[in-house]
Amino acid sequence: MSSTNEAHRPDAGRRLPSRRTVVAASAWSVPAIAAATASPAYAASTEGPVTIPPALTGVIGGGWSIYTNFGANGLPVGAATAARPTATAVPITVSPARATTVTLTLSGAGFSFFTVQTNAAFTPTQTVTVTTSPDGVAEVFVAIPPHSKGDTVATITATGNGGSAVSTLTAGTGFVYATGGHTPEGQTGNGASRNGVVWPTPLAIDERLSSVHASISSYLAITESGTVRTGGYNPFAEVGTGGQEVSVLTPIEPLKKDGTAFTDAVRAVVDTCGSEQGLFVVEDSAGDWWAVGEQVSNYLAIPGDTTGARSITQWERIGGNLPAKPATLSPNRYGDTLVWSLVDGTVWFSGYGGSFRNYSNGLPQSTTRGQLAQLMMPDGSPVTGVKRVHQSEDHSVMMLTTDGRLLYSGTQVASITPADYANPGDVQEIAGPPGEVVELWAKHPYDTNGAAYYAKTSDNTLWAIGSNGAARGYLGIGTTTATRTWAKVLVDDVKEMACGAHNLIVLDNSGDVWFAGLYEEGNPGMGTGLPATFPTPVKITTLPPNARTIASTWWDVPYIAY
């Protein structure tokens, strides 16, 4: 990223131990990423002179994370760092127990041994010799290639102590993958702390997800049982550890202020496209809303909160100052305003009143913080019937009504404003794309005057309008120029989309994932040597098939859940 962006990142920090620390796996259960600490317990085996488990399971992409390419022989080349929490451990025992040498060989394209936890100078190999402890035990790890970069089954042969043993290692799909982007603070969720993840790497999450989400540079997953897992960049406290560490390298289960964990999380709504503030918001099964992260100008509408600016380090209930329960919300890029749609169809702004007029003349002018204001039409009547509201680049807001119309208000420059928007600062209806609009998203761009919106229609077509990222092409419409009319995103049969500051990812209904925009720190997840920009979306071929849901940090790390 640019030096301007890097200035937001502290240089040092500490990691708070997780309540549910994820450690090295002695054997993966497919597709779960199981957590188990390696121990000498298997030394009791007396089934042969040398013993390894006859069947092992692993995760596609498990172990290959950082700066990795593949050579003609199918083995990884370059400076690889294999992350131990997402690799497959092979326990070795000899009987009778004693210290002795054991040689292991490995077949299967892309598979490789590694024998230490940190591998900054790692050399991949399919043959390794280890010495067992006096108790007759040893351990090696196997890294498994990404989808399409090797096999999914390997054979391991161990020879030593006057005998041999064979194991079959079979790899399946993990629960969620990070595919690239800015990752030195643990955004890969597998214990690695290096930047430039150029291949999909599985997060060490051991439960199937109902959804995955991302903020400025951290992730949040809601499991099918209603628990929450978070990790990554945490100086704004959005990971919910109780502190403000720079790096949380493996997923944790954040707690509420009373010390309990979420057991009934339903959805997270704050982070559809990320923003430059650190904030996660979750709704529970009772319809109550909770947040961790930045609380600026009381934009979270917490009754009695007069502190102006603070970090919420554990989940707190929010929205109590609003006249009805929230339905959706959208944060502004610089963290002083939230835009809410409520279950009664009205739209409200909370936070710093001095920013409200950037969006609409139908909001009061105020220079004080902790304000709450309802959005009005030009005639002074309330905006009603809204089911989705999104803002982009702090100067515009777009709304989807219950009957499928689009409303818009803003003070953006004319070059990225919808062509039929006639009166700057007034809420008015604008033309939508062809068909019935059923979903609406917005981009939180890196660029000044970079507002953009996406609309999905009932025929699963995705459309874009606005800035195209200063020639970065992140709208995915086949060009690098802005558009003032709705242009089709060049992916068919769209299920959902997500975007960071420089990129767009799209999930189609067949489970394939597509990338558009700027190649930035490996964010397409397909290795190095790729074009600088992708104005036309390209399918990410290194991911396993049948993805279910996606997200992207503002710092361009896509997350793909299965």
Side-chain angles (χ1 to χ4, degrees), residues 231-381:
Y233 184 56
N234 191 45
F236 303 113
E238 68 266 37
V239 176
T241 65
Q244 291 174 259
E245 308 78 24
V246 171
S247 301
V248 178
L249 298 181
T250 52
I252 66 132
E253 187 174 350
L255 303 178
K256 299 176 183 177
K257 285 184 69 176
D258 63 4
T260 62
F262 259 108
T263 58
D264 63 343
V266 174
R267 58 174 177 151
V269 298
V270 70
D271 53 304
T272 301
C273 296
S275 65
E276 203 169 337
Q277 66 206 79
L279 181 67
F280 278 127
V281 177
V282 165
E283 182 185 11
D284 65 20
S285 59
D288 292 325
W289 289 52
W290 304 74
V292 287
E294 284 193 304
Q295 157 69 326
V296 183
S297 305
N298 194 18
Y299 61 21
L300 294 175
I302 300 175
D305 190 339
T306 59
T307 55
R310 66 186 177 99
S311 291
I312 297 176
T313 63
Q314 292 181 306
W315 293 106
E316 291 187 26
R317 203 167 304 191
I318 67 168
N321 278 353
L322 295 166
K325 283 193 173 184
T328 63
L329 61 84
S330 178
N332 80 337
R333 180 180 170 197
Y334 288 111
D336 64 9
T337 300
L338 283 181
V339 185
W340 310 73
S341 65
L342 307 186
V343 294
D344 64 3
T346 61
V347 176
W348 293 76
F349 285 69
S350 61
Y352 177 50
S355 294
F356 291 178
R357 283 294 182 95
N358 292 338
Y359 301 95
S360 178
N361 299 328
L363 290 165
Q365 182 68 51
S366 172
T367 59
T368 58
R369 302 182 183 276
Q371 297 297 298
L372 198 65
Q374 185 175 7
L375 184 62
M376 300 291 183
M377 298 294 291
D379 63 3
S381 62

Side-chain angles (χ1 to χ4, degrees), residues 51-371:
T51 302
I52 57 177
L56 292 167
T57 57
V59 176
I60 293 170
W64 296 127
S65 304
I66 314 299
Y67 295 132
T68 309
N69 288 303
F70 289 80
N73 62 355
L75 285 178
V77 296
T81 294
R84 183 170 173 170
T86 51
T88 297
V90 183
I92 306 159
T93 64
V94 296
S95 179
R98 65 189 183 97
T100 188
T101 59
V102 177
T103 299
L104 296 100
T105 60
L106 176 66
S107 68
F111 288 78
S112 181
F113 287 121
F114 66 100
T115 57
V116 292
Q117 183 168 349
T118 302
N119 295 277
F122 171 62
T123 300
T125 180
Q126 289 192 312
T127 302
V128 66
T129 298
V130 297
T131 301
T132 59
S133 70
D135 293 331
V137 301
E139 187 176 55
V140 297
F141 289 84
V142 176
I144 299 169
H147 177 73
S148 83
K149 287 296 176 180
D151 296 332
T152 57
V153 178
T155 300
I156 305 167
T157 302
T159 304
N161 203 38
S164 64
V166 176
S167 176
T168 299
L169 170 57
T170 304
T173 303
F175 284 116
V176 59
Y177 289 79
T179 65
H182 197 84
T183 58
E185 296 95 10
Q187 292 87 345
T188 55
N190 65 1
S193 59
R194 280 190 165 184
N195 195 25
V197 179
V198 298
W199 301 106
T201 182
L203 277 68
I205 290 180
D206 58 356
E207 190 175 348
R208 196 173 191 226
L209 307 181
S210 62
S211 62
V212 63
H213 309 271
S215 182
I216 175 175
S217 207
S218 52
Y219 59 87
L220 180 148
I222 298 177
T223 71
E224 288 190 335
S225 65
T227 61
V228 174
R229 307 290 180 84
T230 55
Y233 184 56
N234 191 45
F236 303 113
E238 68 266 37
V239 176
T241 65
Q244 291 174 259
E245 308 78 24
V246 171
S247 301
V248 178
L249 298 181
T250 52
I252 66 132
E253 187 174 350
L255 303 178
K256 299 176 183 177
K257 285 184 69 176
D258 63 4
T260 62
F262 259 108
T263 58
D264 63 343
V266 174
R267 58 174 177 151
V269 298
V270 70
D271 53 304
T272 301
C273 296
S275 65
E276 203 169 337
Q277 66 206 79
L279 181 67
F280 278 127
V281 177
V282 165
E283 182 185 11
D284 65 20
S285 59
D288 292 325
W289 289 52
W290 304 74
V292 287
E294 284 193 304
Q295 157 69 326
V296 183
S297 305
N298 194 18
Y299 61 21
L300 294 175
I302 300 175
D305 190 339
T306 59
T307 55
R310 66 186 177 99
S311 291
I312 297 176
T313 63
Q314 292 181 306
W315 293 106
E316 291 187 26
R317 203 167 304 191
I318 67 168
N321 278 353
L322 295 166
K325 283 193 173 184
T328 63
L329 61 84
S330 178
N332 80 337
R333 180 180 170 197
Y334 288 111
D336 64 9
T337 300
L338 283 181
V339 185
W340 310 73
S341 65
L342 307 186
V343 294
D344 64 3
T346 61
V347 176
W348 293 76
F349 285 69
S350 61
Y352 177 50
S355 294
F356 291 178
R357 283 294 182 95
N358 292 338
Y359 301 95
S360 178
N361 299 328
L363 290 165
Q365 182 68 51
S366 172
T367 59
T368 58
R369 302 182 183 276
Q371 297 297 298

